[in-house]
Amino acid sequence: MTATLIWILVVLVAIGLYLSWTAGRLDRLHARIDAARAALDAQLLRRASVAQELATSGVLDPAASIVLYEAAHAARQAEEEQREVAESELSQALRAVFADSQQVEGLREAPGGEEAARELAEAVRRVPMARRFHNDTVGAARRLREHRKVRWFRLAGHAPFPLAFEMDDEPPAALVERVA
């Protein structure tokens, strides 16, 4: 009888340790999601700031400056529900403004334009990487949260279900090719 109770106790402790380990893993994934989201937000803010600074510098033609400034301003001021759309519109505005290599050449020839072009190219290159890292982390957490043991034992607690950040983040080809 005591041997049976000891084995039952050992099994229950092993199950408890496994569930605790799984809950800790899920908690670490949620912390990684928060860190990845902060990094993504920083890269998006940097891209919008560089675009806004470039739009107000007087280097671009007036129409391109207005389009770029409005898109960058909208991306910086967007509410969380509209953020993906606003960031996609900024990507589209960047591609429209820097659609041809002549615009990029004009930017590079202006005083301080070489540095501005390089800074913008870096900013638009980093956004897809940060978004991909965030979405990969979200995917890992979602896969773990879909397991039966996580749902049955409510190991996720009250943490909201993680959502991927979906946006158009394709950089302007003429800008990235030329500055790279």
Side-chain angles (χ1 to χ4, degrees):
M1 177 80 167
T2 45
T4 306
L5 286 176
I6 291 174
W7 279 111
I8 290 173
L9 185 62
V10 166
V11 168
L12 288 176
V13 167
I15 290 172
L17 286 173
Y18 178 71
L19 290 175
S20 175
W21 176 79
T22 303
R25 182 173 166 223
L26 190 57
D27 187 50
R28 287 187 301 275
L29 278 171
H30 281 279
R32 281 181 52 202
I33 288 171
D34 291 341
R37 182 58 190 243
L40 175 61
D41 286 342
Q43 292 304 321
L44 291 171
L45 181 62
R46 181 173 184 253
R47 181 181 75 152
S49 297
V50 170
Q52 206 168 20
E53 184 179 315
L54 186 61
T56 59
S57 68
V59 175
L60 301 174
D61 63 85
S65 292
I66 290 172
V67 168
L68 197 56
Y69 181 83
E70 287 179 356
H73 182 71
R76 289 182 72 178
Q77 300 298 320
E79 296 292 327
E80 192 60 36
E81 300 83 33
Q82 298 298 319
R83 183 97 188 266
E84 294 172 350
V85 174
E87 294 294 346
S88 294
E89 288 173 356
L90 177 56
S91 295
Q92 293 166 1
L94 284 165
R95 281 196 309 272
V97 169
F98 298 107
D100 60 349
S101 57
Q102 292 176 349
Q103 185 76 359
V104 177
E105 284 299 320
L107 172 63
R108 291 181 70 208
E109 291 171 359
E114 184 72 36
E115 184 179 330
R118 187 174 53 255
E119 190 175 352
L120 183 61
E122 285 178 18
V124 298
R125 270 194 220 124
R126 289 179 179 173
V127 167
M129 289 186 286
R131 188 178 73 85
R132 197 171 309 119
F133 182 74
H134 174 267
N135 288 350
D136 288 348
T137 307
V138 165
R142 289 175 114 177
R143 284 188 296 276
L144 184 58
R145 285 183 71 154
E146 289 171 356
H147 287 204
R148 247 181 270 148
K149 65 181 176 256
V150 173
R151 289 189 318 238
W152 286 354
F153 292 102
R154 300 177 191 253
L155 298 180
H158 297 287
F161 196 73
L163 299 174
F165 194 86
E166 297 299 332
M167 63 172 270
D168 175 8
D169 61 3
E170 187 177 330
L175 178 68
V176 175
E177 287 172 3
R178 193 66 182 138
V179 178

